[in-house]
Each structure stands twice: as structure tokens, then as C-alpha cells.
Amino acid sequence: MALLVQKYGGTSVGSAERIQAVARRVVAAADRGQKVCVVVSAMSHSTDELVDLAAQISSVPHPREMDMLLTSGERISMALLSMAIMELGREAISMTGSQAGIVTDTSHGRARIVEVRARRVLEALDEGKIVIVAGFQGVSTEYNITTLGRGGSDMTAVALAAELDADVCEIFTDVDGVFTADPRIVPEARQLHAVSYEEMLELSASGARVLQLRCVEYARNHGVLVHVRSSFNAEEGTWVREEDERMERAIISGIAHDTSEAKVTIVGVPDKPHVAARVFTPLAREGINVDMIVQNISTDGRTDISFTLPKDDLVRAKPLLDEVATGVGAREIQTDDSIGKVSLVGAGMKSHPGVAADMFEALGDAGINIEVISTSSIRISCIVRATDVEQAVKVVHKKFELPEEAVAREQHPATATDQIKALRPPQSDGEAAS
Ligand code: ADP
Ligand code: ASP
Ligand code: MG
């Protein structure tokens, strides 16, 4: 019997009516003879509201208590959805992450799943029940409740899909799929039919929050087929899966932006061996993820090191950085949280020179100054002023936009400069729209 994991995001379960609509969709899937395991997020803005509440009580909330607080949001939606399904005459049971066997490491706020003991979920499914699991949470190897990082319900869904050997992991959200840019910023952005794990990894890492980064990594490592689609209609969305020859023809798959990072510059660092290690080791030990790193050419034996890190980690990073600056004899530390990152992602970029130059030209023509650049084989990222981010996304998208008629010429992509294109539909996979 086919097994389906469906995940519904915050907006999709944002009111009693929406929860009832989700219940109807879930029941319809079960009525087609499939076993259905559902993962839910907290209702709309409730996680943000809980974060704000905690901030009113404590400037640095205790990590264990913070996780206790935040996991309550998903408990509300799982119980309500379970009730709504029962109202439709189907048997359902809700489970917390812990009850569903999501076992994590001990790092509160960003715990990693170390094991999924899905016995209880499987038993309930075998008894014909629809199982509703609270997303974004687990229980640590030391028996504390943990959370999986913001957007972590996606992770719960993918991990369960892997463990249950689901045919597909459906991520229902408030847009129709993955687009060539955030459709809220670029209304003319185009929906991608399919995107490879590698491209989605880069898009998520660059800020396209439609799928949490870790869940894409997990899906790739476990070969989970992911289908991102709208919870408001029955249309097919975007498939995230192994790269194939159709995908390789796409030069640019999308543009992502991220305003959640801050820039730190350590000014006047002595230019000698081991200094970089002494700067970054304490941050790594504290679990702070450093992203773009640039070191200038040195003059008079001194250089500047700039890098970005999550704004949320600045408070924790500041004392460590002050200590590092004194330790290595740097002149000063500058922090700047008014920056944003704009990234161009595409697997075909590897073999097409000129993409970076075109991106810089688009930004330059719009009078947008680039402060830091970094690249991977399938991504180019530029740091710009936060106030320029939306305009930057728009002009870069426009620069690379492919006119519809040119899609037909995809067999002969002439240059690297002219392409954002949706991929051709994959072979039929038997997926029925619900
Ligand atoms: P959910 O609550 O369902 O998990 P999220 O807010 O986490 O939803 O993710 C969906 C949002 O991601 C969309 O509303 C959209 O604004 C944003 N987004 C950013 N980049 C993209 C993109 N490339 N394609 C689709 N959506 C994107
Ligand atoms: N409710 C959590 C968040 O807002 C998890 C999720 O929605 O995926 O980050
Ligand atoms: Mg999300």
C-alpha cells in the first residue's frame, strides 16, 4: 500500500477553517487507499509570537525552556487537525515529535536528528489511522525536548518520509512551488517544474526559505522524493530530486535572497599563519555558522577579515570576537546588520562563463554597490545594502529572464547570459493531485 507523508506549513493551518480544509485534503488522500502520515507546523505566526513573548521575559532565554515553549505551537495544530479528521469520520492520532520517535542530539534550538524510531507511527498507520506528527521537534538523547531550527517542520517530514520509506514527501505551503525567485518580490517569477537536490541546497542555503536547508540535505542523502506544492489548490508543484539530463540544461535555476545575516569585519589583523584559525575556531566551537569570508591583501603586515553570520548569533558572537581581537592583536571589530545577500543559483553555470559578469552588470546598472562576492561552482552571491535587496533580486531576475519563445530553443543554449527557465515535465510518476 502506498505511503504518503504530507507536511502543512503555518499559513496552511492558520485558522480553524484552514485546518478543516487540510483535514478534507488528508482524508481524500487516505480515501484513495494510501497510508497517510501528516506533519504540521504551528498556526501562522504563533512561533514568532512565542519568540517575542520569551524576549519580554529574558534577553537570553534558557535554551531548554525556549524549546519547551516553542514546541507548544505545533502541539496545538496537531491536536486540532486530528480532531478535524475525526469529525470527518476517519480515525486519527496526534503525536509529539518525541512520541513519533524523533531522536535528536542535545543542541537546543538547532538539534540534529540522530535517529527516527517510527515503530509507534507505523503501528498506528497499520491500524488504519491517519497519524499527525508535530513538526519541528524531537527528544534528545538526554531526554529533553528539542527543536530543529526555524522551518524545521520540513525536516520532520523528510526524516519521517525516509524512515517510513514513503513514496513521496509532499510539502504543502502558501505558494505553488519553487520559483525562479521569491514570488512575493518578483511576481513574474516562474515556477520550476523540477529542481535537483544540489540546486535546491544552494537555493535554501542562500535564503529561499520555501524548504529548510537541512531537510534538502537529508532528502538528498536518503533519496527522498520531495514535492513542494500549494495547500490552496490541487495543481502540481515542484519536484525536488536527483539531477537528470533535462535539468542539466538549465543554466540558472533561481535567485535567492537573505536578510537574516550580519557582516563582521576584524580590522587590522596581523597577516601571519594561524590567525584565521584563531578567529574562526571559537565561533565554530560555539556552533555559530560563518558564511562568506573575505580577507583583503595585506599592507604593512596587516589585513582585514570580513565574514557574515546569522544576526541571531551576533549577541553570542560579540564577546568571543572581542576576545579574539585582543588575542590576535587586531585594531577593532565592526559589525553591520543592515546587509542582505542576493544569490544566483544554477547547475548549468559550471560550464557557462560570463554569468557572474552579467549579474554584476545588472547590479551596477541599477546603482547597487556590491560589498562582498563569493562563489561556488553553481552559485554566485553578492552582499549589498539591506535596503537594496528587493531591487537587486528584481534586476538580476530581469537580466536573466528567458523569453517564453526561447524556452523552445533550450537544446542549444547559446550563451550563459540569457537564461532562467522552467524545466520540462518529468515522466509521469503516477502522482494524483489531491
Ligand atoms: P511554510 O509556513 O509553509 O513552511 P514558508 O514561509 O516557510 O512556508 O515558505 C514559503 C515562502 O517561501 C513563500 O511564501 C515565499 O515567500 C518564500 N520563498 C522564498 N523564495 C522562494 C522561492 N524561490 N520559491 C517559492 N517560495 C519562495
Ligand atoms: N513553527 C516553526 C517555525 O516557524 C517550524 C516550521 O514552521 O517549520 O519555524
Ligand atoms: Mg517553512
Side-chain angles (χ1 to χ4, degrees):
M1 187 191 257
L3 196 155
L4 200 59
V5 171
Q6 297 190 327
K7 176 256 170 178
Y8 291 90
T11 318
S12 312
V13 293
S15 65
E17 291 72 31
R18 287 196 171 163
I19 289 176
Q20 285 165 326
V22 167
R24 286 193 290 275
R25 191 184 273 259
V26 171
V27 167
D31 284 348
R32 288 195 296 271
Q34 307 173 94
K35 290 183 181 173
V36 189
C37 175
V38 183
V39 174
V40 282
S41 288
M43 293 169 74
S44 289
H45 305 291
S46 71
T47 309
D48 289 336
E49 284 160 16
L50 292 170
V51 170
D52 289 348
L53 256 183
Q56 291 171 43
I57 304 278
S58 166
S59 58
V60 188
H62 190 282
R64 180 186 182 280
E65 304 313 324
M66 192 66 182
D67 277 355
M68 278 300 214
L69 177 71
L70 294 189
T71 49
S72 64
E74 271 71 10
R75 275 194 180 220
I76 293 173
S77 41
M78 74 173 188
L80 290 173
L81 179 58
S82 189
M83 291 175 200
I85 291 170
M86 289 182 206
E87 284 295 318
L88 297 176
R90 293 288 305 216
E91 274 197 275
I93 180 170
S94 66
M95 296 186 193
T96 62
S98 164
Q99 289 172 326
I102 310 283
V103 182
T104 74
D105 65 14
T106 56
S107 48
H108 286 287
R110 55 171 145 258
R112 281 188 179 274
I113 295 178
V114 294
E115 200 187 338
V116 180
R117 298 179 191 156
R119 186 184 52 83
R120 225 173 140 180
V121 173
L122 275 169
E123 277 173 11
L125 289 171
D126 284 344
E127 287 163 12
K129 291 179 183 146
I130 294 169
V131 179
I132 324 296
V133 178
F136 173 57
Q137 54 180 274
V139 61
S140 78
T141 45
E142 290 176 2
Y143 307 106
N144 282 308
I145 297 301
T146 50
T147 58
L148 310 176
R150 294 306 303 266
S153 297
D154 296 340
M155 184 63 235
T156 309
V158 169
L160 278 167
E163 184 60 29
L164 300 173
D165 203 15
D167 299 79
V168 58
C169 179
E170 294 186 307
I171 304 285
F172 286 95
T173 185
D174 54 8
V175 287
D176 287 349
V178 180
F179 285 71
T180 48
D182 187 338
R184 294 183 201 285
I185 291 187
V186 185
E188 53 290 358
R190 282 201 282 131
Q191 189 187 325
L192 297 168
H193 192 277
V195 64
S196 70
Y197 293 125
E198 300 308 325
E199 287 170 308
M200 197 62 231
L201 272 177
E202 292 282 7
L203 283 169
S204 292
S206 308
R209 70 172 196 279
V210 61
L211 275 183
Q212 193 209 27
L213 173 61
R214 278 185 185 175
C215 97
V216 185
E217 229 170 0
Y218 203 97
R220 179 195 57 183
N221 294 346
H222 294 79
V224 175
L225 177 64
V226 177
H227 185 190
V228 180
R229 55 192 303 197
S230 169
S231 63
F232 304 128
N233 62 49
E235 301 303 315
E236 193 176 2
T238 300
W239 297 90
V240 185
R241 52 173 208 201
E242 286 298 343
E243 186 167 315
D244 68 15
E245 96 289 344
R246 281 183 307 270
M247 292 175 174
E248 280 166 23
R249 292 199 208 110
I251 294 173
I252 307 299
S253 50
I255 293 152
H257 68 283
D258 187 358
T259 49
S260 69
E261 299 204 327
K263 185 173 80 173
V264 174
T265 304
I266 311 184
V267 184
V269 183
D271 192 9
K272 52 187 191 200
H274 274 309
V275 167
R278 283 173 68 188
V279 170
F280 294 110
T281 306
L283 296 173
R285 272 206 204 107
E286 197 46 38
I288 296 170
N289 253 337
V290 171
D291 182 17
M292 298 166 89
I293 304 176
V294 244
Q295 180 174 326
N296 282 340
I297 306 275
S298 68
T299 43
D300 303 329
R302 286 185 180 266
T303 181
D304 298 342
I305 299 179
S306 291
F307 54 91
T308 59
L309 45 67
K311 275 183 200 167
D312 291 348
D313 287 339
L314 254 189
V315 181
R316 278 191 307 138
K318 196 67 185 37
L320 296 174
L321 290 168
D322 288 338
E323 213 177 299
V324 161
T326 317
V328 300
R331 284 203 197 101
E332 64 167 320
I333 303 268
Q334 293 169 353
T335 58
D336 180 353
D337 62 5
S338 305
I339 57 143
K341 183 171 66 179
V342 178
S343 307
L344 192 57
V345 174
M349 220 186 260
K350 285 181 229 174
S351 48
H352 287 82
V355 177
D358 281 352
M359 180 180 185
F360 304 153
E361 190 178 89
L363 294 173
D365 287 350
I368 296 169
N369 188 42
I370 305 170
E371 299 181 21
V372 181
I373 298 166
S374 85
T375 59
S376 81
S377 63
I378 65 166
R379 176 186 49 78
I380 303 161
S381 298
C382 297
I383 295 289
V384 299
R385 285 292 93 203
T387 44
D388 285 335
V389 165
E390 292 206 0
Q391 175 71 356
V393 172
K394 286 187 177 124
V395 296
V396 175
H397 192 272
K398 186 141 195 63
K399 180 88 183 172
F400 287 88
E401 204 162 22
L402 189 67
E404 279 306 322
E405 70 274 16
V407 175
R409 288 190 272 112
E410 67 175 352
Q411 304 280 20
H412 309 286
T415 69
T417 59
D418 59 353
Q419 315 222 353
I420 285 179
K421 71 179 177 57
L423 298 155
R424 279 188 185 158
Q427 284 94 17
S428 168
D429 46 45
E431 158 66 7
S434 43

Coordinates of all heavy atoms in Angstrom, one line a residue, residues 98-161:
S98 N 8.5 13.6 20.1 CA 9.0 12.6 21.0 C 8.3 11.3 20.8 O 8.8 10.2 20.7 CB 9.0 13.1 22.4 OG 9.1 12.1 23.3
Q99 N 6.9 11.4 20.8 CA 6.1 10.2 20.7 C 6.3 9.5 19.3 O 6.2 8.3 19.2 CB 4.6 10.5 20.9 CG 4.3 10.9 22.3 CD 2.9 11.4 22.5 OE1 2.4 12.1 21.6 NE2 2.2 11.1 23.6
A100 N 6.6 10.4 18.3 CA 6.8 9.8 17.0 C 8.2 9.2 16.8 O 8.5 8.7 15.7 CB 6.6 10.9 15.9
G101 N 9.0 9.3 17.8 CA 10.3 8.7 17.8 C 11.4 9.5 17.1 O 12.4 9.0 16.6
I102 N 11.2 10.8 17.1 CA 12.3 11.7 16.5 C 13.3 12.0 17.6 O 13.1 12.8 18.5 CB 11.7 13.1 16.0 CG1 10.5 12.9 15.2 CG2 12.8 13.9 15.4 CD1 10.7 12.4 13.8
V103 N 14.5 11.3 17.5 CA 15.5 11.4 18.5 C 16.6 12.3 17.9 O 17.0 12.2 16.8 CB 16.1 10.0 18.8 CG1 17.2 10.1 19.9 CG2 15.0 9.1 19.3
T104 N 17.0 13.3 18.7 CA 18.0 14.3 18.3 C 19.2 14.3 19.1 O 19.2 13.7 20.2 CB 17.4 15.7 18.3 OG1 17.3 16.2 19.6 CG2 16.0 15.7 17.6
D105 N 20.2 15.1 18.7 CA 21.3 15.4 19.6 C 20.8 16.4 20.6 O 19.7 16.8 20.7 CB 22.5 15.9 18.8 CG 22.3 17.2 18.1 OD1 21.3 17.9 18.4 OD2 23.1 17.5 17.2
T106 N 21.8 17.0 21.4 CA 21.4 17.8 22.6 C 21.4 19.3 22.3 O 21.3 20.1 23.2 CB 22.3 17.4 23.8 OG1 23.6 17.6 23.4 CG2 22.1 16.0 24.2
S107 N 21.7 19.7 21.1 CA 21.8 21.2 20.8 C 20.5 21.8 20.7 O 19.9 21.8 19.6 CB 22.8 21.5 19.7 OG 22.4 20.7 18.6
H108 N 20.0 22.5 21.8 CA 18.7 23.1 21.7 C 18.7 24.2 20.7 O 19.6 24.9 20.4 CB 18.4 23.7 23.1 CG 18.1 22.7 24.1 ND1 16.9 22.0 24.1 CD2 18.8 22.2 25.2 CE1 16.8 21.2 25.1 NE2 18.0 21.2 25.8
G109 N 17.5 24.3 20.0 CA 17.3 25.4 19.1 C 17.7 25.0 17.7 O 17.3 25.6 16.7
R110 N 18.6 24.1 17.5 CA 19.0 23.7 16.2 C 19.5 22.2 16.2 O 20.5 21.8 15.7 CB 20.2 24.5 15.7 CG 21.3 24.5 16.6 CD 22.6 25.2 16.1 NE 23.2 25.8 17.3 CZ 23.2 27.1 17.5 NH1 22.6 27.9 16.7 NH2 23.7 27.6 18.6
A111 N 18.7 21.4 16.9 CA 19.1 20.0 17.1 C 19.1 19.2 15.8 O 18.3 19.5 14.9 CB 18.1 19.3 18.1
R112 N 20.0 18.3 15.7 CA 20.0 17.4 14.5 C 19.4 16.1 14.8 O 19.6 15.5 15.9 CB 21.5 17.1 14.1 CG 22.0 18.3 13.4 CD 23.4 18.0 12.8 NE 23.9 19.1 12.1 CZ 23.7 19.4 10.8 NH1 22.9 18.5 10.1 NH2 24.1 20.5 10.2
I113 N 18.6 15.5 13.9 CA 18.0 14.2 14.1 C 19.1 13.1 14.0 O 19.9 13.1 13.1 CB 16.9 14.0 13.1 CG1 15.8 15.0 13.3 CG2 16.4 12.5 13.1 CD1 14.7 14.9 12.3
V114 N 19.2 12.3 15.1 CA 20.2 11.2 15.0 C 19.5 9.9 14.7 O 20.2 9.0 14.2 CB 21.0 11.1 16.3 CG1 21.9 12.4 16.5 CG2 20.1 10.9 17.6
E115 N 18.2 9.8 15.0 CA 17.5 8.5 14.7 C 16.0 8.8 14.7 O 15.5 9.7 15.3 CB 17.9 7.6 15.9 CG 17.6 6.1 15.6 CD 17.8 5.3 16.8 OE1 18.5 5.7 17.8 OE2 17.2 4.2 16.8
V116 N 15.3 8.0 13.9 CA 13.9 8.1 13.9 C 13.4 6.7 14.3 O 13.6 5.7 13.5 CB 13.3 8.5 12.5 CG1 11.8 8.5 12.6 CG2 13.9 9.8 12.1
R117 N 12.8 6.6 15.5 CA 12.2 5.3 15.9 C 10.7 5.3 15.6 O 9.9 5.7 16.5 CB 12.5 5.1 17.4 CG 14.0 5.0 17.7 CD 14.2 4.9 19.2 NE 15.6 5.1 19.5 CZ 16.1 5.5 20.7 NH1 15.2 5.7 21.7 NH2 17.3 5.7 20.9
A118 N 10.4 4.9 14.4 CA 9.0 5.1 13.9 C 8.0 4.0 14.3 O 6.9 4.0 13.7 CB 9.0 5.4 12.4
R119 N 8.4 3.2 15.2 CA 7.5 2.0 15.5 C 6.1 2.4 15.8 O 5.1 1.9 15.2 CB 8.1 1.2 16.7 CG 7.4 -0.1 17.0 CD 8.0 -0.8 18.3 NE 8.0 0.2 19.4 CZ 7.0 0.4 20.2 NH1 5.8 -0.1 20.0 NH2 7.1 1.3 21.2
R120 N 5.9 3.4 16.7 CA 4.6 3.8 17.1 C 3.8 4.4 15.9 O 2.6 4.1 15.7 CB 4.7 4.9 18.2 CG 3.8 4.6 19.3 CD 4.0 5.6 20.4 NE 2.7 6.0 21.0 CZ 2.6 6.8 22.0 NH1 3.7 7.3 22.5 NH2 1.4 7.1 22.4
V121 N 4.5 5.1 15.1 CA 3.8 5.7 13.9 C 3.4 4.6 13.0 O 2.2 4.5 12.5 CB 4.7 6.7 13.1 CG1 4.1 7.1 11.8 CG2 5.1 7.9 14.0
L122 N 4.3 3.6 12.7 CA 4.0 2.5 11.8 C 2.8 1.7 12.3 O 1.9 1.3 11.6 CB 5.2 1.6 11.7 CG 6.2 2.1 10.6 CD1 7.5 1.3 10.7 CD2 5.6 2.0 9.2
E123 N 2.8 1.4 13.7 CA 1.7 0.6 14.2 C 0.4 1.3 14.0 O -0.6 0.7 13.6 CB 1.9 0.4 15.7 CG 2.9 -0.7 16.0 CD 3.2 -0.8 17.5 OE1 2.6 -0.1 18.3 OE2 4.2 -1.6 17.8
A124 N 0.3 2.6 14.3 CA -0.9 3.4 14.1 C -1.4 3.4 12.6 O -2.5 3.2 12.3 CB -0.7 4.8 14.6
L125 N -0.4 3.5 11.7 CA -0.7 3.5 10.3 C -1.3 2.1 9.9 O -2.3 2.0 9.2 CB 0.5 3.8 9.4 CG 1.0 5.3 9.4 CD1 2.4 5.4 8.7 CD2 0.0 6.2 8.8
D126 N -0.7 1.1 10.5 CA -1.1 -0.3 10.2 C -2.5 -0.5 10.7 O -3.3 -1.3 10.2 CB -0.2 -1.3 10.8 CG 1.1 -1.4 9.9 OD1 1.1 -1.0 8.8 OD2 2.1 -1.9 10.5
E127 N -2.9 0.2 11.8 CA -4.2 0.1 12.3 C -5.2 0.9 11.5 O -6.4 1.0 11.9 CB -4.3 0.6 13.8 CG -3.6 -0.4 14.8 CD -3.2 0.3 16.1 OE1 -3.7 1.4 16.4 OE2 -2.5 -0.3 16.9
G128 N -4.8 1.5 10.5 CA -5.7 2.3 9.6 C -5.9 3.7 10.0 O -6.8 4.4 9.5
K129 N -5.1 4.2 11.0 CA -5.2 5.6 11.5 C -4.4 6.5 10.6 O -3.3 6.1 10.1 CB -4.7 5.7 12.9 CG -5.6 5.0 13.9 CD -5.1 5.1 15.3 CE -6.0 4.3 16.2 NZ -5.3 3.7 17.3
I130 N -4.9 7.8 10.5 CA -4.1 8.8 10.0 C -3.2 9.4 11.1 O -3.8 9.7 12.2 CB -5.0 9.9 9.3 CG1 -5.7 9.3 8.1 CG2 -4.1 11.1 8.9 CD1 -6.8 10.2 7.6
V131 N -1.9 9.5 10.9 CA -1.1 9.9 12.0 C -0.7 11.4 11.8 O -0.2 11.7 10.7 CB 0.2 9.0 12.1 CG1 1.1 9.5 13.3 CG2 -0.2 7.6 12.3
I132 N -0.9 12.2 12.8 CA -0.5 13.6 12.7 C 0.7 13.8 13.7 O 0.6 13.6 14.9 CB -1.6 14.6 13.2 CG1 -3.0 14.0 12.8 CG2 -1.4 16.0 12.8 CD1 -3.3 13.9 11.4
V133 N 1.8 14.2 13.1 CA 3.0 14.4 13.9 C 3.3 15.9 14.0 O 3.3 16.7 13.0 CB 4.2 13.7 13.3 CG1 5.5 14.0 14.1 CG2 4.0 12.2 13.2
A134 N 3.6 16.4 15.3 CA 4.0 17.8 15.5 C 5.4 18.0 14.8 O 6.3 17.3 15.2 CB 4.1 18.1 16.9
G135 N 5.5 18.9 13.9 CA 6.8 19.2 13.3 C 7.8 19.9 14.2 O 7.4 20.3 15.3
F136 N 9.0 20.0 13.7 CA 10.0 21.0 14.3 C 10.5 20.5 15.6 O 11.2 21.3 16.3 CB 9.2 22.3 14.3 CG 9.8 23.5 15.0 CD1 11.1 24.0 14.6 CD2 9.2 24.2 16.0 CE1 11.6 25.1 15.2 CE2 9.7 25.3 16.7 CZ 10.9 25.8 16.3
Q137 N 10.3 19.3 16.0 CA 10.6 19.0 17.4 C 11.0 17.5 17.5 O 10.7 16.6 16.7 CB 9.5 19.2 18.3 CG 8.2 18.5 17.9 CD 7.1 18.8 18.9 OE1 6.9 18.1 19.9 NE2 6.3 19.8 18.6
G138 N 11.8 17.2 18.6 CA 12.2 15.9 18.9 C 12.5 15.7 20.4 O 12.2 16.7 21.1
V139 N 13.1 14.6 20.7 CA 13.6 14.4 22.1 C 15.0 14.1 22.0 O 15.5 13.3 21.1 CB 12.7 13.4 22.8 CG1 12.9 12.0 22.2 CG2 13.1 13.3 24.3
S140 N 15.8 14.7 22.9 CA 17.3 14.5 22.8 C 17.7 13.2 23.4 O 16.9 12.5 24.1 CB 18.0 15.6 23.5 OG 18.0 15.5 24.9
T141 N 18.9 12.8 23.1 CA 19.5 11.6 23.7 C 19.6 11.7 25.2 O 19.8 10.7 25.9 CB 20.9 11.3 23.1 OG1 21.6 12.6 23.1 CG2 20.8 10.8 21.7
E142 N 19.4 12.9 25.8 CA 19.3 13.1 27.2 C 17.9 13.4 27.7 O 17.7 14.0 28.8 CB 20.3 14.3 27.6 CG 21.7 13.9 27.5 CD 22.7 15.0 27.8 OE1 22.3 16.1 28.2 OE2 23.9 14.7 27.6
Y143 N 16.9 13.0 26.9 CA 15.5 13.1 27.2 C 15.0 14.5 27.4 O 14.0 14.7 28.1 CB 15.2 12.2 28.4 CG 15.7 10.8 28.2 CD1 16.8 10.3 28.9 CD2 15.1 9.9 27.3 CE1 17.3 9.1 28.7 CE2 15.6 8.7 27.1 CZ 16.7 8.2 27.8 OH 17.2 7.0 27.6
N144 N 15.6 15.5 26.8 CA 15.0 16.8 26.8 C 14.3 17.1 25.5 O 14.7 16.5 24.4 CB 16.1 17.9 27.0 CG 16.5 17.9 28.5 OD1 15.6 18.1 29.4 ND2 17.8 17.8 28.8
I145 N 13.3 18.0 25.5 CA 12.6 18.3 24.3 C 13.5 19.3 23.5 O 14.0 20.3 24.1 CB 11.2 18.9 24.6 CG1 10.3 17.9 25.3 CG2 10.5 19.5 23.3 CD1 10.1 16.6 24.5
T146 N 13.6 19.1 22.2 CA 14.5 19.9 21.4 C 13.7 20.5 20.2 O 12.7 19.9 19.8 CB 15.7 19.1 20.8 OG1 15.2 17.9 20.3 CG2 16.7 18.8 21.9
T147 N 14.2 21.5 19.5 CA 13.7 22.0 18.2 C 14.7 21.9 17.2 O 15.9 21.9 17.5 CB 13.1 23.4 18.3 OG1 14.1 24.3 18.7 CG2 11.9 23.5 19.3
L148 N 14.3 21.8 15.9 CA 15.1 21.5 14.8 C 15.5 22.7 14.0 O 16.0 22.6 12.8 CB 14.4 20.5 13.9 CG 13.8 19.3 14.5 CD1 13.1 18.4 13.5 CD2 14.9 18.4 15.2
G149 N 15.4 23.9 14.5 CA 15.8 25.2 13.8 C 14.5 25.7 13.1 O 13.6 24.9 12.7
R150 N 14.5 27.0 12.8 CA 13.3 27.6 12.2 C 13.1 26.9 10.8 O 14.0 26.5 10.1 CB 13.5 29.1 12.0 CG 13.6 29.9 13.3 CD 12.4 29.7 14.2 NE 11.1 30.0 13.7 CZ 10.5 31.1 13.8 NH1 11.1 32.1 14.4 NH2 9.3 31.3 13.3
G151 N 11.8 26.7 10.6 CA 11.4 26.0 9.3 C 11.6 24.5 9.5 O 11.5 23.7 8.5
G152 N 11.8 24.0 10.7 CA 12.2 22.6 10.9 C 11.1 21.6 10.7 O 11.4 20.4 10.8
S153 N 9.9 22.0 10.5 CA 8.8 21.0 10.2 C 9.1 20.3 8.9 O 8.8 19.1 8.7 CB 7.4 21.6 10.2 OG 7.1 22.2 11.4
D154 N 9.7 21.0 8.0 CA 10.1 20.4 6.7 C 11.1 19.2 7.0 O 11.0 18.1 6.4 CB 10.9 21.4 5.8 CG 10.1 22.6 5.4 OD1 8.9 22.5 5.4 OD2 10.7 23.6 5.0
M155 N 12.0 19.4 8.0 CA 12.9 18.4 8.4 C 12.2 17.2 8.9 O 12.5 16.0 8.6 CB 13.9 19.0 9.4 CG 15.0 18.1 9.8 SD 16.1 17.7 8.5 CE 16.0 15.9 8.6
T156 N 11.2 17.4 9.8 CA 10.5 16.3 10.4 C 9.8 15.5 9.3 O 9.9 14.2 9.3 CB 9.3 16.8 11.3 OG1 9.9 17.8 12.2 CG2 8.6 15.7 12.1
A157 N 9.2 16.2 8.3 CA 8.5 15.5 7.3 C 9.5 14.6 6.4 O 9.2 13.4 6.2 CB 7.8 16.5 6.4
V158 N 10.6 15.2 6.1 CA 11.6 14.4 5.2 C 12.2 13.2 6.0 O 12.3 12.1 5.5 CB 12.7 15.4 4.7 CG1 13.8 14.6 4.0 CG2 12.1 16.3 3.7
A159 N 12.5 13.5 7.3 CA 13.0 12.4 8.1 C 12.0 11.2 8.2 O 12.4 10.0 8.1 CB 13.5 12.9 9.5
L160 N 10.8 11.6 8.4 CA 9.8 10.5 8.6 C 9.6 9.8 7.2 O 9.4 8.6 7.2 CB 8.4 11.1 9.0 CG 8.3 11.3 10.6 CD1 7.1 12.2 10.9 CD2 8.2 10.0 11.3
A161 N 9.6 10.6 6.1 CA 9.4 10.0 4.8 C 10.5 9.0 4.5 O 10.3 7.9 4.0 CB 9.4 11.1 3.7

